[in-house]
Amino acid sequence: MIRAKRLSILGSTGSIGRSTLDVVRMSKGRYEVVGLTAGQNIELLMQQILEFQPRVVAVMTEETATTLKERLGPLPNVKIVYGKEGYIEIATMRLADVVVSAMVGAAGIVPTVAAIEAGKDIALANKEVMVAAGPLVRKLADKKRVNILPVDSEHSAIFQCLAGHRKREVSHILLTASGGPFRLKQDGFESITPEEAVKHPNWSMGQKISVDSATLMNKGFEVIEAKWLFDVEAEMIQVLIHPQSIVHSMVEFWDGSILAHLGIADMKIPISYALSWPERMPLDLPRLDLTLVSSLSFNTPDTERFPCLALAYKAIGMGGTATTALNAANEVAVEAFLRHRLPFSFIAETISRVLEDFVPQEITCLEDILSADALARVKAHRIIDGLMNNGHL
Ligand code: NAD
Ligand code: MG
């Protein structure tokens, strides 16, 4: 019998982390969980520990680790660690075959890079890692012969459409976007509330990515992610608004053929494929009934109403650490919006101002990324504070 594939899951209490554990439950012993990490959600993490019995678990702070140990009582087989070193320990566990990178935001950069350096295959959900550190991740993964298997549904679709083809046969990547909850909204963007922004029409996701989907920054990030995952120029990637979220993305080849990936909107499908690749695991999920699909529509996005997408292209054009700054500024602005400190329409304005006089540096090592990230955060906070104190940016 083939032994179970061993997984370390970074961000196990999040939306992707929970769906990954659902896939493990559905896999009939095909996967074993050896490491888990969470931020602060002890309640859910405790349930996950009791059910999956990982060897090591990491949380954000020493205090959370102490509380977790007390609450768990004597569980001799589980080691609890914390902080940056703790996350790195889970990402680099000798036992793990695959690391599921599903933390949100730049917090995932250091552990994901550590996992690649340790030679682990990566099931990558955390797209901010590619936005902030794409060239470094690509270089390290190639050097260590590590597979980066996409979990993001569009990239999983593209990955599957590309299989068996040579790069030169590809003429375009057609990246689909639902358009988010404000696809048809013409005005009043300044008064959008966080509650309205996180209500995605087709997918149930964490708060940050839901806001990114509402601003279309998520699609800008996905263009950058596709560029580094598939080694293509951004000009070859076309974003198409496809409100039905049935076609998860497509690839056009040099003979004019277009291959598409279709399915229901359930992240367990791309997660499962990333874990079982190059095989496919049977999944007991509802099927897409094509007879109920009355229409599939595709339109070009409106970057006037959704300037974040244009900002992502701008950062790609600037090169080097500009996309690191894009990501950091977006993270700070989205956090401020979620805390009711920044109007929705000023998310793009904040990022635009951060990029305005940002001088991109070439990315040669992790330090280049971490310092660009820190610099852009300081600038973004300053811009937002200016708005709060003066009533204008
Ligand atoms: P989420 O907010 O639901 O979960 C995030 C996880 O990361 C949680 O376990 C949380 O505890 C942990 N975390 C948050 N901040 C942390 C920090 N500073 N340090 C350590 N751990 C921290 O997010 P999600 O929706 O599961 O998304 C995770 C990643 O996957 C994101 O990068 C997102 O863009 C990407 N993604 C998500 C979906 C989706 O359907 N949810 C689809 C495609 C890609
Ligand atoms: Mg996606």
Side-chain angles (χ1 to χ4, degrees):
M1 203 182 119
I2 305 169
R3 81 157 166 82
K5 211 182 247 188
R6 292 171 181 149
L7 312 181
S8 271
I9 305 173
L10 308 176
S12 67
T13 54
S15 166
I16 293 289
R18 295 193 306 270
S19 294
T20 305
L21 292 172
D22 282 340
V23 170
V24 174
R25 285 186 190 100
M26 294 165 92
S27 78
K28 301 194 174 81
R30 195 179 175 132
Y31 305 116
E32 181 190 343
V33 176
V34 293
L36 293 176
T37 84
Q40 316 270 18
N41 188 348
I42 295 197
E43 291 303 322
L44 180 57
L45 183 61
M46 278 194 16
Q47 291 170 25
Q48 294 179 346
I49 293 171
L50 295 173
E51 181 179 352
F52 293 96
Q53 314 224 330
R55 314 287 174 97
V56 193
V57 169
V59 289
M60 201 180 285
T61 61
E62 184 174 11
E63 201 187 347
T64 316
T66 308
T67 315
L68 183 61
K69 274 182 207 161
E70 282 166 13
R71 300 273 306 274
L72 278 170
L75 260 183
N77 294 328
V78 185
K79 181 180 165 197
I80 315 267
V81 293
Y82 63 88
K84 190 174 138 194
E85 286 71 30
Y87 292 142
I88 291 176
E89 183 168 339
I90 309 288
T92 58
M93 279 176 76
R94 196 181 47 79
L95 272 181
D97 301 307
V98 178
V99 172
V100 180
S101 173
M103 283 182 186
V104 61
I109 297 172
V110 168
T112 306
V113 166
I116 299 170
E117 276 176 335
K120 308 293 178 191
D121 278 350
I122 308 290
L124 185 78
N126 185 333
K127 67 192 84 186
E128 293 93 338
V129 171
M130 279 312 211
V131 175
L136 180 76
V137 168
R138 187 71 276 153
K139 194 171 80 183
L140 276 178
D142 291 346
K143 185 171 147 207
K144 295 281 177 181
R145 295 175 186 270
V146 151
N147 293 303
I148 311 271
L149 300 155
V151 165
D152 213 347
S153 58
E154 295 78 359
H155 303 74
S156 176
I158 296 161
F159 182 61
Q160 294 176 60
C161 294
L162 286 172
H165 294 93
R166 282 170 297 178
K167 209 182 117 191
R168 64 193 173 107
E169 297 168 349
V170 176
S171 46
H172 287 103
I173 284 178
L174 308 174
L175 188 71
T176 54
S178 72
F182 310 125
R183 178 174 57 91
L184 300 173
K185 195 173 175 67
Q186 294 302 324
D187 46 34
F189 282 83
E190 61 291 339
S191 54
I192 289 170
T193 64
E195 294 70 29
E196 289 167 335
V198 299
K199 265 195 215 129
H200 195 278
N202 304 335
W203 299 88
S204 156
M205 310 182 286
Q207 282 203 322
K208 195 250 174 189
I209 184 178
S210 298
V211 176
D212 289 346
S213 299
T215 61
L216 286 201
M217 182 56 96
N218 182 52
K219 216 40 62 176
F221 282 180
E222 290 185 357
V223 171
I224 302 168
E225 185 185 9
K227 171 180 159 65
W228 294 114
L229 275 175
F230 308 118
D231 188 24
V232 291
E233 292 308 318
E235 295 71 41
M236 281 175 70
I237 305 168
Q238 188 188 356
V239 173
L240 290 172
I241 302 293
H242 167 51
Q244 298 84 9
S245 292
I246 286 171
V247 175
H248 294 143
S249 276
M250 299 173 269
V251 177
E252 184 197 291
F253 295 91
W254 64 4
D255 64 354
S257 301
I258 294 178
L259 296 190
H261 177 287
L262 283 71
I264 59 164
D266 190 325
M267 288 307 292
K268 288 193 277 298
I269 299 174
I271 291 169
S272 171
Y273 190 66
L275 299 181
S276 64
W277 177 86
E279 292 167 24
R280 244 174 237 282
M281 188 182 90
L283 286 177
D284 188 12
L285 291 175
R287 302 283 137 165
L288 175 64
D289 183 347
L290 285 168
T291 63
L292 297 178
V293 178
S294 54
S295 72
L296 296 175
S297 58
F298 301 94
N299 295 297
T300 45
D302 180 349
T303 48
E304 296 274 316
R305 284 186 300 129
F306 297 100
C308 282
L309 184 57
L311 288 169
Y313 277 103
K314 179 181 171 175
I316 297 169
M318 289 167 71
T321 50
T323 58
T324 318
L326 175 85
N327 178 64
N330 181 62
E331 231 168 280
V332 172
V334 169
E335 176 70 21
F337 166 67
L338 283 170
R339 290 172 184 265
H340 298 265
R341 288 183 55 215
L342 189 73
F344 183 85
S345 38
F346 281 118
I347 296 175
E349 184 62 27
T350 305
I351 301 163
S352 171
R353 297 219 175 180
V354 169
L355 286 183
E356 223 164 58
D357 53 358
F358 186 83
V359 182
Q361 308 291 324
E362 197 192 333
I363 295 175
T364 55
C365 62
L366 188 57
E367 199 41 55
D368 297 334
I369 292 153
L370 300 181
S371 52
D373 176 273
L375 188 72
R377 273 170 208 273
V378 171
K379 271 190 77 176
H381 279 296
R382 205 177 296 146
I383 290 164
I384 293 169
D385 287 347
L387 170 72
M388 280 172 63
N389 297 334
N390 308 327
H392 60 84
L393 279 173

